[in-house]
Amino acid sequence: IGLAYSSLPALIVGAVPASETGAANGLNTLMRSIGTSVSSAVIGMVLANTADTVGGVAVPTMHGFRVSFLIATAAVAVGLLLALFLPGQRPSGKLQLRASSEEDASLERAEEVLRGFQGRVLSADGAPVPRARVTLLDRQGRRAGATYSAQDGGYVLAVPASGSYVLAVQAAGHGPHASAATHGGEGWAVEVDLSLPGEGALRGGAGI
């Protein structure tokens, strides 16, 4: 019984969806409590009703013990019959957990878009610039975030708090660029497109 009770939670976790493990283990604990309470009462009643009085003391008889073991055997048979209908291990459990993790990551990315800056990094002629380093600086000049632009030049940067920031961008083959931007923290994305000058413009003395 001790071995069975210790293995039941692991079997239950493997047989039910991840979202139902708490309810399933709670039902397991409830049924165990009901079983121990009912069985003790039933066996006590059987032994008491089949007892013989010897010297003024009620003594359980062999007949009472036989009936008790027959009841226990019937309970085991019912348990084995129910076990045939129990669901097996769910091989898709890990896949479900992985999908849930991917959904959580997607939600986090969506929240970042809603509370930060987004836009595209473009060259002087309007072409997208992939793999450009975009750095978010706060009013004290400290880095508050950083990312790289995608193949289409798009970028997303979350903001730690509302306020004024500077978006600095660098990319190979282009001069650096910085742009001031303010986020009010109301929960929407602020569109900021960053246009990079060519290296020739930088060497010619153009500042940021």
Side-chain angles (χ1 to χ4, degrees):
I1 290 175
L3 291 174
Y5 278 4
S6 63
S7 63
L8 276 174
L11 294 174
I12 290 172
V13 169
V16 301
S19 60
E20 301 295 334
T21 54
N25 276 298
L27 181 61
N28 169 46
T29 303
L30 174 63
M31 296 308 295
R32 282 165 53 178
S33 300
I34 293 175
T36 53
S37 301
V38 172
S39 61
S40 300
V42 170
I43 299 304
M45 180 186 65
V46 170
L47 293 178
N49 289 336
T50 57
D52 286 340
T53 302
V54 178
V57 178
V59 178
T61 61
M62 288 299 297
H63 175 66
F65 282 110
R66 291 191 184 99
V67 172
S68 298
F69 281 115
L70 286 174
I71 294 174
T73 303
V76 170
V78 172
L80 291 175
L81 181 63
L82 292 176
L84 297 176
F85 298 95
L86 291 177
Q89 294 287 325
R90 297 177 63 90
S92 60
K94 293 182 178 179
L95 296 177
Q96 289 179 347
L97 291 176
R98 180 180 176 183
S100 177
S101 299
E102 291 177 352
E103 290 175 359
D104 291 342
S106 298
L107 288 175
E108 289 178 0
R109 287 193 294 270
E111 290 178 356
E112 288 180 356
V113 172
L114 289 176
R115 63 171 185 266
F117 298 103
Q118 67 175 2
R120 300 179 68 196
V121 180
L122 306 172
S123 62
D125 57 1
V129 179
R131 298 297 298 169
R133 174 77 171 182
V134 183
T135 305
L136 183 68
L137 303 173
D138 61 15
R139 298 182 64 179
Q140 287 74 36
R142 296 173 299 190
R143 192 178 75 169
T147 187
Y148 286 93
S149 61
Q151 290 298 319
D152 62 351
Y155 73 92
V156 174
L157 268 174
V159 296
S162 60
S164 299
Y165 294 91
V166 173
L167 291 167
V169 58
Q170 290 178 315
H174 299 273
H177 175 73
S179 178
T182 301
H183 197 282
E186 290 84 358
W188 62 72
V190 177
E191 296 281 347
V192 180
D193 288 338
L194 304 171
S195 182
L196 288 172
E199 285 186 327
L202 182 65
R203 285 195 291 265
I208 298 177

